[in-house]
Amino acid sequence: MTPAELSSTVLHAVRRAVDAGELDVTVPARAVVAPPGPGGCGDYATNIALQLARPAGQPPYRVAEVLRSYLVGVDGVADVVLTGPGFLNISLGGAAPAALVEEILSAGTRYGHADAPDAPDNSVVGLHCPHDLRAVVVADAVARVLRCQGALVRVTAEGFDREWTAALGVRVDGVGPAPASPPVTVRPVPAPADPLPLGRDAARWALLHPAAHDRPRIGDEHLAQREGNPLFRVRYAHARSRALTRNAADLGFAAEPGPVPDAPQELLAALGDHPRVLAAAAAHRAPDRIARHLVAVADAALPFLPAVLPRGGEKPSAAHRARLALAEAAGTVLAGGLTLLGIDAPDHL
């Protein structure tokens, strides 16, 4: 069960409770499901009971109890635990990874992208930034993320140096004062030093990984090929996933989504959360959310990758094919996220 399917399942539970007369509410258009927060458990959590409590005229915990009875036993749902004032914490069954992995591999690096414009009138989102390299890089990344969510975007800057395009791959649609139609101003804390000597990928990461209100660190640590460098971990996890595909082909088998009993729940949750992260990054004009999310995906994937291929005299089995598919899904999410940040995702490191 994918996050989108789980959201539909939660809404179906609300509809069944309304039809049975246990809740007197209007069924909402969507139910938000996300990895559990502090104090939560399971694979996903939803605050739908808190959302419906007031219109239902019942305490949130009571609404959660009603909805739990309609969720427990649904195909793909292993358990539902109530925490806090009424959060529903949902554990998925063993087949959940297969559906999620299949969805990711089917969509490829466009997993989490929106197919249609958010605005029905095709209105253009305007982004404007000062003559500052970090501002231009952040605006460029925000534009990429907004476009992946279906928006039309126009980026303008008060000043622009042509070398920025050659060095960092950024571009703007207009140079000069802010347009008459009020745009969104992109004005992050400037970099304390020139990042261009780092090269395109490391420089963009150094400018995009910190939140806009944080001062970026510009130094050789972004070039270090070691575990302490988050960019290295992200790109290494991607390269390792691609190497596993090549090695599996040498052994005569390929990926095939299926149950993965030993799949890290942190990895599944991070992969399933990718569409929400992209949508939130677009809504808040915050590409740093994607950068931090990619680090979480890589950190969850790296301990799992050594167990993907057969060991010793083992012959490839369905479990190996399913693990390989999960590894490929992780690599796909990492590649897609890096691309949105304007950073290469090499197959070899």
Side-chain angles (χ1 to χ4, degrees), residues 134 189-193 205-208 210-212 214-218 221-222:
R134 189 187 184 200
V189 174
W205 181 269
L207 298 175
L208 294 172
D214 291 331
R215 184 174 298 277
R217 297 174 59 185
I218 307 299
E221 66 269 19
H222 298 293

Side-chain angles (χ1 to χ4, degrees), residues 11-93:
L11 291 179
H12 185 60
V14 174
R15 192 170 295 108
R16 291 172 60 197
V18 170
D19 291 344
E22 294 194 67
L23 292 178
D24 183 11
V25 296
T26 299
V27 180
R30 62 192 294 261
V32 176
V33 297
C41 59
D43 299 310
Y44 294 98
T46 177
N47 66 348
I48 190 71
L50 283 72
Q51 178 183 341
L52 297 177
R54 177 168 297 196
Q58 300 187 41
Y61 201 87
R62 171 55 188 158
V63 175
E65 288 179 324
V66 171
L67 295 180
R68 181 184 185 278
S69 66
Y70 289 99
L71 286 169
V72 172
V74 172
D75 287 344
V77 174
D79 193 16
V80 181
V81 176
L82 307 186
T83 58
F87 291 102
L88 290 150
N89 296 260
I90 304 169
S91 296
L92 302 178

Side-chain angles (χ1 to χ4, degrees), residues 236-246 305 324 327-328 330-332:
Y236 179 67
H238 169 264
R240 285 289 299 126
S241 73
R242 296 299 182 249
L244 289 172
T245 299
R246 296 191 298 270
L305 298 181
L324 178 61
E328 289 186 357
T332 298

Side-chain angles (χ1 to χ4, degrees), residues 4 6 15 18 22 42 61 89 108 119 137 157 168 185 210 257-258 266 273 282 288-289 303 306 310 321 344:
L6 179 57
R15 192 170 295 108
V18 170
E22 294 194 67
Y61 201 87
N89 296 260
V137 170
L168 299 184
T185 300
E266 297 84 357
D273 201 33
D288 57 284
R289 295 188 179 207
R321 291 192 290 272
D344 287 338

Side-chain angles (χ1 to χ4, degrees), residues 178-223:
S181 177
V184 175
T185 300
V186 179
R187 194 183 296 273
V189 174
D194 182 7
L196 293 182
L198 295 176
R200 171 173 172 163
D201 294 330
R204 289 188 69 107
W205 181 269
L207 298 175
L208 294 172
H209 180 255
H213 59 267
D214 291 331
R215 184 174 298 277
R217 297 174 59 185
I218 307 299
D220 291 344
E221 66 269 19
H222 298 293
L223 300 173

Side-chain angles (χ1 to χ4, degrees), residues 124-293:
V124 176
V125 177
L127 302 175
H128 186 73
C129 51
H131 184 200
D132 172 73
L133 178 55
R134 189 187 184 200
V136 171
V137 170
V138 171
D140 178 78
V142 171
R144 293 168 185 255
V145 178
L146 285 167
R147 291 181 183 119
C148 94
Q149 295 301 296
L152 300 174
V153 188
R154 176 177 170 80
V155 180
T156 57
E158 294 174 12
F160 186 77
D161 295 347
R162 290 187 178 181
E163 67 171 340
W164 294 351
T165 296
L168 299 184
V170 294
R171 69 179 182 88
V172 298
D173 302 302
V175 179
S181 177
V184 175
T185 300
V186 179
R187 194 183 296 273
V189 174
D194 182 7
L196 293 182
L198 295 176
R200 171 173 172 163
D201 294 330
R204 289 188 69 107
W205 181 269
L207 298 175
L208 294 172
H209 180 255
H213 59 267
D214 291 331
R215 184 174 298 277
R217 297 174 59 185
I218 307 299
D220 291 344
E221 66 269 19
H222 298 293
L223 300 173
Q225 303 290 295
R226 59 172 181 261
E227 188 177 335
N229 179 2
L231 174 59
F232 171 74
R233 295 203 304 275
V234 170
R235 300 176 88 193
Y236 179 67
H238 169 264
R240 285 289 299 126
S241 73
R242 296 299 182 249
L244 289 172
T245 299
R246 296 191 298 270
N247 295 338
D250 291 340
L251 295 174
F253 75 99
E256 183 178 327
V260 184
D262 56 349
Q265 292 304 308
E266 297 84 357
L267 177 57
L268 296 175
L271 297 180
D273 201 33
H274 188 64
R276 184 194 66 81
V277 171
L278 296 188
H284 296 279
R285 317 298 193 245
D288 57 284
R289 295 188 179 207
I290 298 176
R292 291 194 297 273
H293 175 65

